[in-house]
Amino acid sequence: MINLALIAPPGGGKGTQAEKITRTLNIPHISTGDIFRSIVKGEYAGSFPVSEILNYMNRGLLVPDDIVVKITLERLGQDDCENGFLLDGFPRTLNQAEMFDKLSSNKRLNYVILIDVEEESLIKRLTGRRSCPKCGRIYNIYFSPPLKEGLCDEDGEGLVIRNDDKEETVRKRLEVYKTDTKPLVDYYKKQNILAKVDGNKFVDEVFKQIMEVLKA
Ligand code: AMP
């Protein structure tokens, strides 16, 4: 059984890998960010302190650990998690990891995979991102630029940069990631369940490394 948590920096390709892993292994992809977004939209069954959650999310802050742990454990109690699961976005703090270990009984993690990507490459992936406000197509000025600089290939609309992809914000997000993740990584290293894969490679190569870890 594979009870897996994926850890990766912003822009580290976590979403892409999570999708490939869950499709291949046929296990549910549990993203706490997605769960919170559906709770605040009223699309998630259960009783939750919605306005409190919204208040944290709107300020870009982490939702308190006890709420996150409770919601994650509830989700893992559903039938589709009986043969394993992939956690995306949880745990985010050492305290969440410790609380989860105490309470998770048969849902304990047996794999934690860290997708390691060089900082300069992350900065290019994030600050190079441009999107078309009309059709939503995403480009990257370094890796997948539009044919004409600054304009969408589909409809000629001027491309825009998201506020949180601006260089100063990106550097801040990476700092926060490093501070929060280091203790988590150390914690799982001590438990001997941490594997590091080289996330600087192409998507399929990163995926291959992950599958090798999971097969071992
Ligand atoms: P994400 O899409 O993973 O960036 O999550 C969106 C928002 O949901 C975050 O900014 C937090 O407010 C909340 N959130 C998601 N996962 C967690 C977590 N493990 N701990 C605390 N807050 C979380």
Side-chain angles (χ1 to χ4, degrees):
M1 180 145 65
I2 291 175
N3 294 350
L4 163 71
L6 265 192
I7 302 178
K14 181 157 54 86
T16 310
Q17 295 299 335
E19 204 194 300
K20 285 173 82 73
I21 298 165
T22 51
R23 216 179 324 120
T24 307
L25 299 177
N26 200 20
I27 53 175
H29 175 184
I30 296 166
S31 149
T32 44
D34 284 350
I35 292 180
F36 285 128
R37 278 182 286 276
S38 51
I39 287 177
V40 298
K41 277 198 250 159
E43 292 167 357
Y44 196 80
S47 56
F48 309 103
V50 177
S51 56
E52 194 184 344
I53 292 173
L54 194 58
N55 195 4
Y56 286 101
M57 288 181 77
N58 280 346
R59 288 183 294 152
L61 300 175
L62 290 183
V63 174
D65 292 341
D66 53 337
I67 299 179
V68 189
V69 173
K70 183 167 174 274
I71 288 172
T72 306
L73 284 169
E74 265 176 31
R75 176 65 188 86
L76 296 182
Q78 291 175 17
D79 291 350
D80 61 342
C81 297
E82 253 165 30
N83 298 315
F85 52 82
L86 180 152
L87 283 178
D88 169 357
F90 179 92
R92 282 271 234 279
T93 64
L94 180 58
N95 189 42
Q96 286 179 11
E98 288 172 342
M99 283 174 79
F100 183 77
D101 271 353
K102 274 198 204 111
L103 301 169
S104 55
S105 58
N106 64 341
K107 302 291 175 190
R108 266 183 94 99
L109 295 173
N110 50 14
Y111 291 95
V112 176
I113 296 184
L114 170 70
I115 305 177
D116 199 31
V117 190
E118 277 166 22
E119 186 151 329
E120 280 318 301
S121 157
L122 291 173
I123 288 173
K124 274 191 168 176
R125 287 190 200 180
L126 294 165
T127 60
R129 205 146 65 171
R130 301 287 182 275
S131 62
C132 173
K134 201 166 162 192
C135 72
R137 185 163 162 186
I138 311 256
Y139 300 84
N140 185 295
I141 55 170
Y142 304 108
F143 307 116
S144 50
L147 296 171
K148 276 197 204 132
E149 197 182 321
L151 300 177
C152 180
D153 293 349
E154 310 289 335
D155 48 34
E157 192 74 17
L159 300 177
V160 295
I161 179 166
R162 269 182 13 184
N163 264 340
D164 58 351
D165 288 340
K166 296 198 170 135
E167 177 147 355
E168 201 194 314
T169 321
V170 164
R171 288 197 184 269
K172 237 183 250 156
R173 281 165 70 196
L174 291 176
E175 276 315 305
V176 171
Y177 166 79
K178 274 195 282 187
T179 319
D180 290 350
T181 312
K182 176 93 180 36
L184 265 185
V185 168
D186 293 344
Y187 178 75
Y188 289 121
K189 238 187 227 164
K190 269 193 213 133
Q191 291 191 11
N192 268 328
I193 57 170
L194 185 95
K196 196 155 96 171
V197 300
D198 180 359
N200 299 293
K201 305 267 166 60
F202 288 116
V203 169
D204 285 343
E205 284 173 58
V206 178
F207 180 62
K208 207 171 133 207
Q209 292 176 61
I210 293 176
M211 292 315 285
E212 268 157 23
V213 169
L214 298 176
K215 266 184 220 146

